[in-house]
């Protein structure tokens, strides 16, 4: 299936690692141009180099997305490099464990700044360009918004808000032909996930316990599987899909827990 991404331009936040890296690489493999936005220049450059070596088009901008001015800079960089924006993939975020007991009002607000505010800020600054191209937005959320996790109020609030904003923006942007959707991962093996599991007392035991509860094939979702759904949603092949929250999680969030 030709997704028709040739000549199109996409911003991918956190596009150098994990899920974002897989999205950046798939967009480029489909003929689109990528602007990676992330806080590590070295990580960004590594992924740009890999995409270019494979014959794709990519550039990067170093940005701490918790800073609104950096979000403005990301949009400017995409327009300067490519002249337009056809899609925004809001992906950067981290489960930072700011809980009720172990957190503080200041840490809670910081978590929102790092996990939520930039989703709004980038959509805000990119909007004139998305209107010009009838582009679209895909947000990456988390199952935590639906299931809770404990000890992660800031992240859960951010991801819950992202689900709400998906519907809100889908409605606000109807007149402009801009679609807005969210993809929900649950358990995906990425650098972030690896760091988290290795912080636990017995990582191997915990990993086995988690994968045993993933209904479909008892395995982690891959970043590429999240990217496949994300890029399909970005493409014109999803031309009548908007305001949707799609779970790419092997049934982890919703299927009957009594199944073995
Ligand atoms: P990852 O491996 O850490 O990759 C995320 C990338 O984004 C990293 O390069 C990271 O930089 C960058 N980044 C994060 N916050 C940033 C910020 N405020 N400013 C600039 N760059 C930032 O993470 P991932 O596992 O692929 O997660 C991607 C998305 O999926 C997140 O929104 C996460 O909440 C969601 N998700 C993941 C899972 C999972 O199982 N992996 C499950 C549910 C939801 P650094 O490396 O410097 O931090």
């Amino acid at each position: 299936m030709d997704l028709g991404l040739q000549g199109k331009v996409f911003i991918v936040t956190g596009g150098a690692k994990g899920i974002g890296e897989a999205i950046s690489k798939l967009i480029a493999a489909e003929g689109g141009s990528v602007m990676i936005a992330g806080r590590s220049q070295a990580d960004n450059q590594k992924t740009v180099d890999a995409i270019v070596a494979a014959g794709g088009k990519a550039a990067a901008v170093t940005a701490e997305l918790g800073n609104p001015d950096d979000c403005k800079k990301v949009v400017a960089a995409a327009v300067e490099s490519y002249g337009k924006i056809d899609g925004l993939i809001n992906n950067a975020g981290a489960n930072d464990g700011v809980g009720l007991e172990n957190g503080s009002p200041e840490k809670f607000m910081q978590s929102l700044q790092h996990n939520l505010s930039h989703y709004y800020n980038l959509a805000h600054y990119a909007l004139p360009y998305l209107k010009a191209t009838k582009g679209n937005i895909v947000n990456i959320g988390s199952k935590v918004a639906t299931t809770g996790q404990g000890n992660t109020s800031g992240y859960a609030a951010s991801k819950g808000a992202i689900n709400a904003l998906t519907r809100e923006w889908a409605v606000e942007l109807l007149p402009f032909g801009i679609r807005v959707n969210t993809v929900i991962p649950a358990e995906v093996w990425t650098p972030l996930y690896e760091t988290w599991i290795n912080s636990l007392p017995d990582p191997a035991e915990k990993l086995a316990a988690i994968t045993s509860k993933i209904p479909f094939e008892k395995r982690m979702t891959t970043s590429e599987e999240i990217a496949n759904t994300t890029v399909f949603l970005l493409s014109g092949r999803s031309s009548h899909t908007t305001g949707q929250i799609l779970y790419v999680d092997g049934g982890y969030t919703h299927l009957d827990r009594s199944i073995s």
Side-chain angles (χ1 to χ4, degrees):
M1 184 187 284
D2 179 4
L3 296 178
L5 300 193
Q6 294 83 356
K8 297 202 167 175
V9 175
F10 300 90
I11 294 172
V12 185
T13 70
K17 273 163 84 172
I19 290 168
E21 178 183 359
I23 294 169
S24 298
K25 287 182 171 172
L26 184 56
I27 289 171
E30 291 290 329
S33 301
V34 185
M35 175 57 68
I36 292 171
R39 57 164 71 100
S40 161
Q41 191 182 6
D43 289 341
N44 292 347
Q45 196 55 48
K46 201 170 152 210
T47 301
V48 167
D49 289 348
I51 289 173
V52 170
K57 296 188 195 74
V61 52
T62 308
E64 170 44 68
L65 299 164
N67 176 355
D69 285 343
D70 278 23
C71 295
K72 204 188 252 185
K73 186 172 86 174
V74 169
V75 170
V79 174
E80 196 181 319
S81 293
Y82 301 119
K84 63 171 185 161
I85 300 169
D86 294 282
L88 166 65
I89 300 91
N90 274 321
N91 161 74
N95 192 340
D96 48 10
V98 178
L100 265 182
E101 276 201 302
N102 68 9
S104 67
E106 293 74 25
K107 284 183 182 165
F108 180 73
M109 292 310 292
Q110 271 168 20
S111 180
L112 299 188
Q113 196 71 29
H114 283 104
N115 285 300
L116 172 62
S117 299
H118 55 87
Y119 278 51
Y120 174 89
N121 294 340
L122 280 156
H124 172 76
Y125 290 126
L127 187 54
Y129 303 100
L130 294 174
K131 280 164 81 170
T133 57
K134 289 196 177 177
N136 72 93
I137 300 173
V138 176
N139 299 314
I140 304 299
S142 170
K143 71 150 195 331
V144 169
T146 306
T147 61
Q149 182 180 309
N151 298 316
T152 195
S153 298
Y155 183 72
S158 297
K159 295 302 191 183
I162 288 162
N163 287 356
L165 289 175
T166 301
R167 296 264 152 78
E168 167 63 13
W169 295 346
V171 173
E172 181 168 340
L173 302 182
L174 286 172
F176 309 115
I178 297 173
R179 299 179 297 105
V180 185
N181 293 289
T182 283
V183 174
I184 306 282
E187 308 293 331
V188 186
W189 191 258
T190 65
L192 180 70
Y193 198 96
E194 192 173 6
T195 303
W196 169 71
I197 207 135
N198 285 334
S199 73
L200 303 176
D202 189 341
E205 188 187 41
K206 183 67 178 173
L207 189 60
I210 290 169
T211 52
S212 75
K213 292 192 181 114
I214 298 173
F216 196 80
E217 297 178 344
K218 308 286 184 208
R219 63 168 177 86
M220 306 281 290
T221 307
T222 66
S223 291
E224 288 70 25
E225 287 171 319
I226 303 293
N228 287 340
T229 300
T230 301
V231 175
F232 180 67
L233 286 171
L234 287 170
S235 80
R237 296 287 181 174
S238 295
S239 50
H240 215 204
T241 302
T242 192
Q244 298 306 305
I245 297 168
L246 273 88
Y247 291 75
V248 181
D249 67 349
Y252 191 78
T253 311
H254 292 104
L255 296 188
D256 188 336
R257 286 175 199 246
S258 69
I259 56 174
S260 58

